[in-house]
Amino acid sequence: MSILDASSSGEHVADAAQPRRGVQRLLAGNAVLVFAFLYLPILVLIVLSFNDNRIVGVWTEPSLRWYRDLVQDDAVIGALQNSLVVAAVSTVVSTILGTAAALSLERFRYRGQGFFDGLLYLPVIIPDVTMAVMMLLFFVQAFDLVAAAFGITPRLGLTSISLSHIAFNISFVAIVVRARLEGLDRSLEEAAADLYATNWQAFRRVTLPLIAPGVAGGALLALTLSLDDVVITSFVSGPGSTTLPVYVFGLVRRGVTPLINAVSVVMLVGSMVLVVASLLIQRQRAT
Amino acid sequence: MPTVTPPATTDDDATAPAPDAVRGGRGLEHAAERARARRGLLIGLPSLTYLVLLFAVPLGIVLVYSFATRSRTGRTILGEWSLDAYARLADGLVVEIFLRSLWLAVVATAVCLVIAYPFAYYLATRSPRVRGLLLVLVMIPFWSNFLVRTYAWRVLLGSDGPFLRLLESVGIGEMRLLFTPFAIVLGLVYGFLPFMILPLYASIERIDFSLVEAARDLYASGWQAFRRVTWPLSRPGVIAGSILVFIPSFGAYVTPEILGGSKTTMVGSYVVRQFLSSRDWPFGAAISFAILAVMLVAARLYFRSGGRNL
């Protein structure tokens, strides 16, 4: 992501930026508090998930019983599988479509770009609930049409969930890739053209490697948003096609149990591993 | 936006009528430009088609539904059109929910700004290597599952949770933290704080601090230098961060559901209720559109005040 790029290009900040000692210490103290604020709930959850006691707040002794229960819980495993399938499909498709959209808008000029541009920004500002309503009504109408035309009524399931996720992810991927494209030095691509590269060759050997970190960042964002989504998925999923966050959300509304803590920790660790892995890969590519 | 500039013509008297050869050459240029434009459109066409089909069309369907009527059994009758759903938006209850959501979103945004600005300033003024590391540390919770992070506060603030037990041990019992507006704002701040930190950081990091140095040379105090140089220069980041926090906070659903309970209804929960329990789809569609309208106004304000692309 471009923000990380900015940080590694820095010159040392002028001394004028450093305030007086007392203020300096306040700022540092504030920073520590913010980090504590960000990480405390996560750490508490992790600790509590190893608690043997059924009552969440009372610490008895460390145990793995909730994780053992978790592994044997078919509903959770099923929901996890659904989440992974939907996330994989929607990430791949939206990354391809989003990158294409970014290239089309940044490297070319044609009429109708303004409309495309505006349409691309809407999914970002639209709230989850509105999008959920949109998708539900769309599928209801679409299913009616298909039933009228072909006689069979499709049902809500993993397909409708994936299609909905792709719908909002395209924009997010496009934004990240466009930010990357904007910052690129076009002389490299022009140099490739001067050296008699065809458009496809120039794209494959110059542009694509240059935007690769942006594409990877966009893909990671799409993956995260898909795995995180609750509202949209719950509106367009059918019986048997629940995803993990929707399932956990249902559990939470019925009350806090230690099993949820264990599931949460698994989801947390999973997403953190993903992030760290992708950051490492990006650092490797950049060097 | 990068523009495609055609190569300049080399003839000296551009006013003289162009000889046929040059006119033919310009024709070739135009053909090449048109081919290039067509290629660009083709590359973007699959994405555009997808968005039109699965975004613009659904939006239109919601608009259509908002003018439909609800039968007594809760089914939607598309044939009979009315403005009933929109008239209900002026109801006292609905207005109250909208205002409450607006207020909570504004409070969450303000709290985020107050917490994030000193933090971002500190981050932006570290050495480059430390900056990178600290940024990664900020991003890791941000990328973790949103539902889980919100749920963590449900555990923390609950009656069995550590905070209340701490308060009890100090002697202040009988206080309820969960299912209050306080809990909702806390959850919103926790969830969206990184959205405020990152634009602020990006904006402050770009400031040319030699300007601050110049101000100090002109006998400005530290506070004056901040107020008149640093703060105005960081405004794009402030605005971007505020919008990025306000928009999801206003339409939030998961956070108020988990932390707010049924007493504090926000607009997101209200919409969902129309589809799950009340089965009043036209009304739900109308509210969804109203929420979108608020978002568009906010986004417009952002772009008006000179905000760059997100």
Side-chain angles (χ1 to χ4, degrees), chain B residues 32-91:
Chain B
E33 270 176 50
R34 272 199 307 261
R36 195 174 155 77
R38 228 178 301 133
R39 204 177 334 122
L41 178 57
L42 243 79
I43 293 179
L45 202 57
S47 321
L48 183 56
T49 317
Y50 195 99
L51 280 178
V52 166
L53 217 58
L54 272 122
F55 192 85
V57 165
L59 199 53
I61 296 181
V62 172
L63 188 60
V64 166
Y65 262 71
S66 67
F67 294 115
T69 34
R70 172 192 190 272
S71 77
R72 244 175 308 125
T73 52
R75 311 194 67 227
T76 318
I77 312 170
L78 282 178
E80 303 168 15
W81 308 113
S82 76
L83 285 174
D84 283 348
Y86 286 101
R88 273 185 72 186
L89 285 181
D91 261 2

Coordinates of all heavy atoms in Angstrom, one line a residue, chain B residues 32-91:
Chain B
A32 N -4.9 6.0 -34.6 CA -4.2 5.3 -33.5 C -4.8 5.7 -32.2 O -4.9 4.8 -31.3 CB -2.7 5.7 -33.6
E33 N -5.1 7.0 -32.0 CA -5.7 7.4 -30.7 C -7.0 6.7 -30.5 O -7.3 6.2 -29.4 CB -5.9 8.9 -30.8 CG -4.8 9.7 -30.2 CD -5.0 11.2 -30.4 OE1 -6.1 11.6 -29.9 OE2 -4.2 11.8 -30.9
R34 N -7.8 6.6 -31.6 CA -9.1 5.9 -31.4 C -9.0 4.5 -31.1 O -9.7 3.9 -30.2 CB -10.0 6.1 -32.7 CG -10.8 7.4 -32.7 CD -11.9 7.2 -33.7 NE -11.4 6.9 -35.0 CZ -11.1 7.7 -36.0 NH1 -11.4 9.0 -35.8 NH2 -10.7 7.3 -37.1
A35 N -8.0 3.8 -31.7 CA -7.7 2.4 -31.4 C -7.3 2.3 -30.0 O -7.7 1.3 -29.3 CB -6.7 1.8 -32.3
R36 N -6.5 3.2 -29.5 CA -6.0 3.1 -28.1 C -7.2 3.3 -27.2 O -7.3 2.6 -26.2 CB -4.9 4.2 -27.9 CG -4.2 4.0 -26.6 CD -3.0 4.9 -26.5 NE -2.7 5.1 -25.1 CZ -2.0 4.2 -24.4 NH1 -1.6 3.1 -25.0 NH2 -1.7 4.4 -23.2
A37 N -8.0 4.3 -27.5 CA -9.2 4.6 -26.6 C -10.1 3.3 -26.6 O -10.6 3.0 -25.5 CB -9.9 5.8 -27.1
R38 N -10.3 2.7 -27.8 CA -11.1 1.5 -27.8 C -10.5 0.4 -26.9 O -11.2 -0.3 -26.2 CB -11.3 1.0 -29.2 CG -12.7 0.8 -29.6 CD -12.9 0.3 -31.0 NE -12.4 1.3 -32.0 CZ -11.6 1.0 -33.0 NH1 -11.2 -0.2 -33.2 NH2 -11.1 2.0 -33.8
R39 N -9.2 0.3 -27.0 CA -8.6 -0.8 -26.2 C -8.8 -0.5 -24.7 O -9.1 -1.4 -24.0 CB -7.1 -0.8 -26.5 CG -6.5 -2.2 -26.2 CD -5.0 -2.3 -26.6 NE -4.6 -1.4 -27.7 CZ -3.6 -0.6 -27.6 NH1 -3.0 -0.5 -26.5 NH2 -3.3 0.2 -28.6
G40 N -8.6 0.8 -24.4 CA -8.8 1.1 -23.0 C -10.2 0.7 -22.5 O -10.4 0.2 -21.4
L41 N -11.2 1.1 -23.3 CA -12.6 0.8 -23.0 C -12.8 -0.7 -22.9 O -13.4 -1.2 -22.0 CB -13.5 1.3 -24.1 CG -15.0 1.1 -23.9 CD1 -15.5 1.6 -22.5 CD2 -15.8 1.7 -25.0
L42 N -12.2 -1.5 -23.8 CA -12.4 -2.9 -23.8 C -11.8 -3.5 -22.5 O -12.3 -4.5 -21.9 CB -11.7 -3.6 -25.0 CG -12.7 -4.3 -25.9 CD1 -13.4 -3.2 -26.8 CD2 -12.0 -5.3 -26.8
I43 N -10.6 -3.0 -22.1 CA -10.0 -3.6 -20.9 C -10.9 -3.3 -19.7 O -11.0 -4.2 -18.8 CB -8.6 -2.9 -20.7 CG1 -7.6 -3.3 -21.8 CG2 -8.0 -3.3 -19.3 CD1 -6.3 -2.7 -21.6
G44 N -11.5 -2.2 -19.7 CA -12.4 -1.9 -18.5 C -13.8 -2.4 -18.6 O -14.5 -2.4 -17.6
L45 N -14.1 -2.9 -19.8 CA -15.5 -3.3 -20.0 C -16.0 -4.4 -19.1 O -17.1 -4.3 -18.6 CB -15.7 -3.7 -21.5 CG -17.2 -3.6 -22.0 CD1 -17.7 -2.2 -21.8 CD2 -17.2 -4.0 -23.5
P46 N -15.3 -5.5 -18.9 CA -15.8 -6.5 -18.0 C -16.2 -6.0 -16.6 O -17.2 -6.2 -16.1 CB -14.7 -7.6 -17.9 CG -13.9 -7.3 -19.1 CD -14.0 -5.9 -19.4
S47 N -15.2 -5.1 -16.0 CA -15.5 -4.6 -14.7 C -16.7 -3.7 -14.8 O -17.6 -3.7 -13.9 CB -14.3 -3.8 -14.2 OG -13.1 -4.4 -14.6
L48 N -16.8 -2.8 -15.8 CA -17.9 -1.9 -15.9 C -19.2 -2.7 -16.0 O -20.2 -2.3 -15.4 CB -17.7 -1.0 -17.2 CG -18.7 0.1 -17.4 CD1 -18.8 1.0 -16.2 CD2 -18.4 0.9 -18.7
T49 N -19.2 -3.7 -16.9 CA -20.5 -4.5 -17.0 C -20.9 -5.1 -15.7 O -22.0 -5.1 -15.3 CB -20.2 -5.6 -18.0 OG1 -19.5 -5.1 -19.1 CG2 -21.6 -6.2 -18.5
Y50 N -19.9 -5.7 -15.0 CA -20.2 -6.3 -13.7 C -20.8 -5.3 -12.7 O -21.8 -5.5 -12.1 CB -18.9 -6.9 -13.1 CG -19.2 -7.8 -12.0 CD1 -19.2 -9.2 -12.2 CD2 -19.5 -7.4 -10.7 CE1 -19.5 -10.1 -11.2 CE2 -19.8 -8.2 -9.7 CZ -19.8 -9.6 -9.9 OH -20.0 -10.5 -8.9
L51 N -20.2 -4.1 -12.7 CA -20.7 -3.1 -11.7 C -22.1 -2.6 -12.1 O -22.9 -2.4 -11.3 CB -19.7 -1.9 -11.7 CG -18.5 -2.1 -10.8 CD1 -17.6 -0.9 -10.9 CD2 -18.9 -2.4 -9.4
V52 N -22.3 -2.4 -13.4 CA -23.6 -2.0 -13.8 C -24.6 -3.0 -13.5 O -25.7 -2.7 -12.9 CB -23.6 -1.7 -15.4 CG1 -25.1 -1.6 -15.8 CG2 -22.9 -0.4 -15.7
L53 N -24.3 -4.3 -13.8 CA -25.3 -5.4 -13.5 C -25.5 -5.6 -12.1 O -26.6 -5.8 -11.6 CB -24.7 -6.6 -14.2 CG -25.8 -7.5 -14.9 CD1 -26.5 -6.7 -15.9 CD2 -25.1 -8.7 -15.5
L54 N -24.4 -5.7 -11.3 CA -24.6 -6.1 -9.9 C -24.4 -5.0 -8.9 O -24.3 -5.2 -7.7 CB -23.6 -7.2 -9.6 CG -24.2 -8.5 -9.9 CD1 -23.3 -9.3 -10.9 CD2 -24.4 -9.4 -8.6
F55 N -24.4 -3.7 -9.4 CA -24.4 -2.6 -8.5 C -25.4 -1.6 -8.9 O -26.3 -1.2 -8.1 CB -23.0 -2.0 -8.4 CG -22.9 -1.1 -7.2 CD1 -22.6 -1.5 -6.0 CD2 -23.1 0.3 -7.4 CE1 -22.5 -0.7 -4.9 CE2 -23.0 1.2 -6.3 CZ -22.7 0.7 -5.1
A56 N -25.3 -1.0 -10.1 CA -26.2 0.0 -10.5 C -27.7 -0.5 -10.6 O -28.6 0.1 -10.1 CB -25.8 0.6 -11.8
V57 N -27.8 -1.7 -11.2 CA -29.2 -2.3 -11.3 C -29.8 -2.6 -9.9 O -30.9 -2.2 -9.7 CB -29.1 -3.6 -12.2 CG1 -30.4 -4.4 -12.0 CG2 -28.9 -3.2 -13.6
P58 N -29.1 -3.2 -9.0 CA -29.6 -3.4 -7.6 C -30.0 -2.1 -7.0 O -31.1 -2.0 -6.3 CB -28.5 -4.1 -6.9 CG -27.7 -4.8 -7.9 CD -27.8 -3.9 -9.1
L59 N -29.2 -1.0 -7.2 CA -29.6 0.3 -6.6 C -30.9 0.8 -7.2 O -31.7 1.3 -6.5 CB -28.4 1.3 -7.0 CG -28.3 2.5 -6.1 CD1 -28.3 2.2 -4.6 CD2 -27.1 3.3 -6.5
G60 N -31.1 0.6 -8.5 CA -32.3 1.0 -9.1 C -33.5 0.2 -8.6 O -34.6 0.7 -8.3
I61 N -33.2 -1.1 -8.3 CA -34.3 -2.0 -7.8 C -34.7 -1.5 -6.4 O -35.9 -1.5 -6.1 CB -33.9 -3.5 -7.8 CG1 -33.6 -4.0 -9.2 CG2 -34.9 -4.3 -7.1 CD1 -33.2 -5.4 -9.3
V62 N -33.8 -1.1 -5.6 CA -34.1 -0.6 -4.3 C -35.0 0.6 -4.4 O -36.0 0.8 -3.7 CB -32.8 -0.3 -3.5 CG1 -33.2 0.4 -2.2 CG2 -32.1 -1.6 -3.2
L63 N -34.6 1.5 -5.3 CA -35.3 2.7 -5.6 C -36.8 2.4 -5.9 O -37.7 2.9 -5.4 CB -34.7 3.5 -6.7 CG -35.3 4.9 -6.9 CD1 -35.1 5.8 -5.6 CD2 -34.5 5.6 -8.0
V64 N -36.9 1.4 -6.8 CA -38.3 1.0 -7.3 C -39.1 0.4 -6.1 O -40.2 0.8 -5.8 CB -38.2 -0.1 -8.4 CG1 -39.5 -0.7 -8.6 CG2 -37.7 0.6 -9.6
Y65 N -38.4 -0.4 -5.3 CA -39.1 -1.0 -4.1 C -39.6 0.0 -3.1 O -40.6 -0.2 -2.4 CB -38.2 -2.0 -3.4 CG -38.4 -3.4 -3.8 CD1 -38.0 -3.9 -5.1 CD2 -38.9 -4.3 -2.9 CE1 -38.2 -5.2 -5.4 CE2 -39.1 -5.7 -3.3 CZ -38.8 -6.1 -4.5 OH -39.0 -7.4 -4.9
S66 N -38.8 1.1 -3.0 CA -39.2 2.1 -2.0 C -40.5 2.8 -2.3 O -41.1 3.4 -1.5 CB -38.0 3.1 -1.9 OG -37.9 3.9 -3.0
F67 N -40.9 2.7 -3.6 CA -42.2 3.3 -4.0 C -43.3 2.2 -4.0 O -44.5 2.5 -4.3 CB -42.1 3.9 -5.3 CG -41.2 5.1 -5.4 CD1 -40.1 5.1 -6.1 CD2 -41.5 6.2 -4.6 CE1 -39.2 6.2 -6.1 CE2 -40.7 7.3 -4.7 CZ -39.5 7.3 -5.4
A68 N -43.0 1.0 -3.6 CA -44.0 -0.1 -3.6 C -44.8 0.0 -2.3 O -44.5 0.8 -1.4 CB -43.4 -1.4 -3.8
T69 N -45.8 -0.9 -2.2 CA -46.6 -0.9 -1.0 C -46.4 -2.3 -0.3 O -46.1 -3.3 -0.9 CB -48.0 -0.7 -1.2 OG1 -48.4 -1.2 -2.5 CG2 -48.4 0.8 -1.2
R70 N -46.6 -2.3 1.0 CA -46.5 -3.5 1.8 C -47.9 -4.0 2.0 O -48.8 -3.3 2.5 CB -45.8 -3.2 3.1 CG -45.8 -4.3 4.1 CD -45.4 -3.8 5.4 NE -45.1 -4.9 6.3 CZ -46.0 -5.5 7.1 NH1 -47.3 -5.0 7.1 NH2 -45.7 -6.4 7.9
S71 N -48.2 -5.3 1.7 CA -49.5 -5.9 2.0 C -49.6 -6.1 3.5 O -48.6 -6.1 4.2 CB -49.6 -7.2 1.2 OG -48.9 -8.2 1.8
R72 N -50.8 -6.4 3.9 CA -51.0 -6.7 5.3 C -50.2 -7.9 5.8 O -49.8 -7.9 7.0 CB -52.5 -6.8 5.6 CG -53.0 -5.7 6.5 CD -54.5 -5.8 6.8 NE -55.2 -5.9 5.5 CZ -56.1 -6.9 5.3 NH1 -56.3 -7.9 6.2 NH2 -56.8 -7.0 4.2
T73 N -49.9 -8.8 4.9 CA -49.2 -10.0 5.4 C -47.7 -9.8 5.3 O -46.9 -10.7 5.5 CB -49.6 -11.2 4.5 OG1 -49.4 -10.9 3.2 CG2 -51.0 -11.6 4.8
G74 N -47.3 -8.6 4.8 CA -45.8 -8.4 4.8 C -45.2 -8.6 3.4 O -44.0 -8.6 3.3
R75 N -46.0 -8.9 2.4 CA -45.4 -9.1 1.1 C -45.4 -7.8 0.4 O -46.1 -6.9 0.7 CB -46.2 -10.1 0.3 CG -46.5 -11.4 1.1 CD -47.0 -12.5 0.2 NE -46.0 -13.0 -0.7 CZ -46.2 -13.2 -2.0 NH1 -47.4 -12.9 -2.5 NH2 -45.3 -13.6 -2.7
T76 N -44.5 -7.7 -0.6 CA -44.3 -6.5 -1.3 C -45.1 -6.5 -2.6 O -45.0 -7.4 -3.4 CB -42.8 -6.2 -1.6 OG1 -42.1 -6.6 -0.5 CG2 -42.6 -4.8 -2.0
I77 N -46.0 -5.5 -2.8 CA -46.8 -5.4 -4.0 C -46.1 -4.4 -4.9 O -46.1 -3.2 -4.6 CB -48.2 -5.0 -3.7 CG1 -48.8 -5.9 -2.5 CG2 -49.1 -5.1 -4.9 CD1 -50.1 -5.3 -2.0
L78 N -45.6 -4.8 -6.0 CA -44.9 -3.9 -6.9 C -45.8 -3.1 -7.7 O -45.4 -2.0 -8.3 CB -43.9 -4.6 -7.7 CG -42.6 -5.1 -7.0 CD1 -41.7 -5.9 -7.9 CD2 -41.9 -3.8 -6.5
G79 N -47.0 -3.5 -7.9 CA -47.9 -2.8 -8.8 C -48.4 -1.5 -8.3 O -48.6 -0.5 -9.0
E80 N -48.6 -1.4 -7.0 CA -49.2 -0.2 -6.4 C -48.2 0.7 -5.9 O -47.4 0.4 -5.0 CB -50.2 -0.6 -5.3 CG -51.3 -1.6 -5.7 CD -52.0 -2.2 -4.5 OE1 -51.8 -1.6 -3.4 OE2 -52.7 -3.2 -4.7
W81 N -48.1 1.9 -6.5 CA -47.0 2.8 -6.1 C -47.5 3.8 -5.2 O -48.6 4.3 -5.3 CB -46.4 3.5 -7.4 CG -46.0 2.5 -8.4 CD1 -46.6 2.4 -9.7 CD2 -45.0 1.5 -8.4 NE1 -46.0 1.4 -10.4 CE2 -45.0 0.8 -9.6 CE3 -44.1 1.2 -7.4 CZ2 -44.1 -0.2 -9.9 CZ3 -43.2 0.2 -7.7 CH2 -43.2 -0.5 -8.9
S82 N -46.7 4.2 -4.2 CA -47.1 5.3 -3.3 C -45.8 5.9 -2.7 O -44.7 5.3 -2.8 CB -48.0 4.8 -2.2 OG -47.2 4.0 -1.3
L83 N -46.0 7.0 -2.0 CA -44.9 7.6 -1.4 C -44.9 7.4 0.1 O -44.3 8.0 0.9 CB -44.9 9.2 -1.6 CG -44.4 9.6 -3.0 CD1 -44.7 11.1 -3.1 CD2 -43.0 9.3 -3.2
D84 N -45.7 6.4 0.5 CA -45.9 6.1 2.0 C -44.6 5.9 2.7 O -44.4 6.4 3.8 CB -46.8 4.8 2.1 CG -48.3 5.2 1.9 OD1 -48.6 6.4 1.8 OD2 -49.0 4.2 1.8
A85 N -43.8 5.1 2.1 CA -42.5 4.8 2.8 C -41.7 6.0 3.1 O -41.2 6.2 4.2 CB -41.7 3.8 1.9
Y86 N -41.6 6.9 2.1 CA -40.9 8.2 2.3 C -41.6 9.1 3.3 O -40.9 9.8 4.1 CB -40.6 8.9 1.0 CG -39.6 8.2 0.2 CD1 -40.0 7.4 -0.9 CD2 -38.3 8.4 0.5 CE1 -39.0 6.7 -1.6 CE2 -37.3 7.7 -0.3 CZ -37.7 6.9 -1.3 OH -36.7 6.3 -2.1
A87 N -42.9 9.0 3.3 CA -43.6 9.9 4.3 C -43.3 9.4 5.7 O -43.2 10.2 6.6 CB -45.1 9.8 4.0
R88 N -43.2 8.1 5.9 CA -42.8 7.6 7.2 C -41.5 8.0 7.7 O -41.2 8.0 8.9 CB -42.9 6.1 7.2 CG -44.3 5.5 7.4 CD -44.3 4.0 7.5 NE -43.7 3.6 8.7 CZ -43.4 2.3 9.0 NH1 -43.8 1.4 8.1 NH2 -42.9 1.9 10.1
L89 N -40.6 8.4 6.8 CA -39.3 8.9 7.2 C -39.4 10.1 8.1 O -38.5 10.4 8.8 CB -38.4 9.2 5.9 CG -37.9 8.1 5.2 CD1 -37.0 8.5 4.0 CD2 -37.0 7.2 6.0
A90 N -40.5 10.9 8.0 CA -40.6 12.1 8.8 C -41.2 11.7 10.2 O -41.3 12.6 11.0 CB -41.5 13.1 8.1
D91 N -41.5 10.5 10.4 CA -42.0 10.1 11.7 C -41.0 10.4 12.8 O -39.8 10.4 12.6 CB -42.1 8.5 11.7 CG -43.6 8.1 11.5 OD1 -44.4 9.0 11.3 OD2 -43.9 6.9 11.5

